[in-house]
Amino acid sequence: MIYLLSFQPARAMGAIGQVILNFFKDREMRIAQRHSLRALNNLDNHALKDLAICKSEIYSVCYASSIDRR
């Protein structure tokens, strides 16, 4: 006879919950990146110069995975 241990369903739900949590965290990050991209594209060259960003760097500033620039 095989007995199911009580912690197995909880462990599976924990893994599923982690996948769902990661999905929503990634979604929030993508939304924030799109908002940042739109905001920076709306700035003029003088405002971008004050931020030390060139027009050609806007995409990389928003979507770069390194934190060197931020």
Side-chain angles (χ1 to χ4, degrees), residues 13-41:
M13 288 302 291
I16 293 170
Q18 189 65 34
V19 169
I20 293 170
L21 182 65
N22 288 341
F23 170 79
F24 283 108
K25 282 183 180 180
D26 290 342
R27 184 172 180 259
E28 278 184 37
M29 186 175 184
R30 287 190 308 268
I31 291 170
Q33 288 170 336
R34 279 185 293 192
H35 285 276
S36 299
L37 186 67
R38 285 185 196 135
L40 288 173
N41 276 326

Side-chain angles (χ1 to χ4, degrees), residues 2-62:
I2 298 174
Y3 294 100
L4 295 175
L5 299 176
S6 62
F7 66 87
Q8 286 177 343
R11 188 176 292 170
M13 288 302 291
I16 293 170
Q18 189 65 34
V19 169
I20 293 170
L21 182 65
N22 288 341
F23 170 79
F24 283 108
K25 282 183 180 180
D26 290 342
R27 184 172 180 259
E28 278 184 37
M29 186 175 184
R30 287 190 308 268
I31 291 170
Q33 288 170 336
R34 279 185 293 192
H35 285 276
S36 299
L37 186 67
R38 285 185 196 135
L40 288 173
N41 276 326
N42 288 332
L43 295 177
D44 62 347
N45 287 334
H46 295 290
L48 288 172
K49 187 176 179 181
D50 290 341
L51 295 172
I53 299 173
C54 187
K55 274 277 194 195
S56 62
E57 295 178 318
I58 291 176
Y59 187 84
S60 62
V61 167
C62 293

